Short mmCIF file of all heavy atoms in Angstrom, two decimals:
data_model
loop_
_atom_site.label_atom_id
_atom_site.label_comp_id
_atom_site.label_asym_id
_atom_site.label_seq_id
_atom_site.Cartn_x
_atom_site.Cartn_y
_atom_site.Cartn_z
N ILE A 233 120.19 126.36 243.64
CA ILE A 233 121.01 126.00 244.80
C ILE A 233 122.44 126.37 244.46
O ILE A 233 122.99 125.99 243.39
CB ILE A 233 120.86 124.49 245.12
CG1 ILE A 233 119.43 124.19 245.56
CG2 ILE A 233 121.86 124.10 246.20
CD1 ILE A 233 119.16 122.75 245.80
N ASP A 234 123.06 127.08 245.35
CA ASP A 234 124.48 127.47 245.20
C ASP A 234 125.45 126.45 245.71
O ASP A 234 126.57 126.30 245.18
CB ASP A 234 124.77 128.79 245.93
CG ASP A 234 124.12 129.99 245.23
OD1 ASP A 234 124.57 130.39 244.16
OD2 ASP A 234 123.12 130.49 245.75
N GLU A 235 125.03 125.70 246.79
CA GLU A 235 126.02 124.81 247.40
C GLU A 235 125.34 123.62 247.98
O GLU A 235 124.31 123.73 248.66
CB GLU A 235 126.79 125.55 248.46
CG GLU A 235 127.87 124.71 249.08
CD GLU A 235 128.77 125.48 250.05
OE1 GLU A 235 128.49 126.67 250.31
OE2 GLU A 235 129.78 124.95 250.58
N ILE A 236 125.88 122.42 247.71
CA ILE A 236 125.54 121.18 248.37
C ILE A 236 126.65 120.83 249.36
O ILE A 236 127.80 120.76 249.00
CB ILE A 236 125.36 120.01 247.37
CG1 ILE A 236 124.21 120.26 246.42
CG2 ILE A 236 125.25 118.67 248.12
CD1 ILE A 236 122.85 120.00 247.01
N PHE A 237 126.27 120.69 250.62
CA PHE A 237 127.23 120.33 251.66
C PHE A 237 126.95 118.92 252.16
O PHE A 237 125.78 118.58 252.47
CB PHE A 237 127.10 121.32 252.78
CG PHE A 237 127.88 121.04 254.02
CD1 PHE A 237 129.02 121.75 254.36
CD2 PHE A 237 127.47 120.04 254.97
CE1 PHE A 237 129.72 121.53 255.56
CE2 PHE A 237 128.21 119.76 256.13
CZ PHE A 237 129.34 120.50 256.38
N MET A 238 127.97 118.05 252.14
CA MET A 238 127.79 116.69 252.67
C MET A 238 128.62 116.52 253.94
O MET A 238 129.85 116.66 253.90
CB MET A 238 128.24 115.64 251.63
CG MET A 238 127.19 115.44 250.49
SD MET A 238 127.69 114.03 249.46
CE MET A 238 126.50 114.22 248.17
N ALA A 239 127.97 116.20 255.04
CA ALA A 239 128.65 115.81 256.25
C ALA A 239 129.04 114.33 256.08
O ALA A 239 128.12 113.51 255.99
CB ALA A 239 127.80 116.04 257.47
N GLU A 240 130.33 114.01 256.00
CA GLU A 240 130.69 112.67 255.61
C GLU A 240 131.57 111.96 256.61
O GLU A 240 131.34 110.78 256.91
CB GLU A 240 131.51 112.77 254.29
CG GLU A 240 131.75 111.45 253.58
CD GLU A 240 130.58 110.87 252.90
OE1 GLU A 240 129.61 110.47 253.62
OE2 GLU A 240 130.55 110.82 251.63
N ASP A 241 132.62 112.59 257.16
CA ASP A 241 133.52 111.99 258.11
C ASP A 241 133.97 110.58 257.62
O ASP A 241 133.90 109.62 258.36
CB ASP A 241 132.86 111.90 259.54
CG ASP A 241 132.84 113.23 260.25
OD1 ASP A 241 133.41 114.22 259.70
OD2 ASP A 241 132.31 113.30 261.34
N ILE A 242 134.52 110.60 256.42
CA ILE A 242 134.94 109.32 255.84
C ILE A 242 136.43 109.03 256.06
O ILE A 242 136.95 107.97 255.69
CB ILE A 242 134.62 109.33 254.32
CG1 ILE A 242 134.67 107.94 253.72
CG2 ILE A 242 135.59 110.31 253.56
CD1 ILE A 242 134.17 107.90 252.28
N THR A 243 137.16 110.02 256.74
CA THR A 243 138.55 109.82 257.02
C THR A 243 138.88 109.87 258.48
O THR A 243 138.11 110.51 259.28
CB THR A 243 139.40 110.92 256.30
OG1 THR A 243 138.91 112.20 256.58
CG2 THR A 243 139.35 110.66 254.78
N TYR A 244 139.92 109.16 258.89
CA TYR A 244 140.43 109.24 260.27
C TYR A 244 141.87 109.72 260.25
O TYR A 244 142.34 110.23 259.21
CB TYR A 244 140.26 107.86 260.96
CG TYR A 244 141.19 106.79 260.42
CD1 TYR A 244 142.19 106.25 261.23
CD2 TYR A 244 141.07 106.33 259.11
CE1 TYR A 244 143.05 105.25 260.73
CE2 TYR A 244 141.90 105.33 258.61
CZ TYR A 244 142.87 104.80 259.41
OH TYR A 244 143.73 103.83 258.95
N ASN A 245 142.63 109.57 261.31
CA ASN A 245 143.91 110.25 261.36
C ASN A 245 144.99 109.68 260.42
O ASN A 245 146.11 110.25 260.33
CB ASN A 245 144.45 110.35 262.78
CG ASN A 245 144.71 108.97 263.37
OD1 ASN A 245 144.37 107.96 262.83
ND2 ASN A 245 145.34 108.97 264.57
#
Side-chain angles (χ1 to χ4, degrees):
I233 295 176
D234 289 287
E235 184 174 4
I236 294 283
F237 173 105
M238 284 188 187
E240 190 75 292
D241 283 357
I242 197 170
T243 51
Y244 69 114
N245 63 351

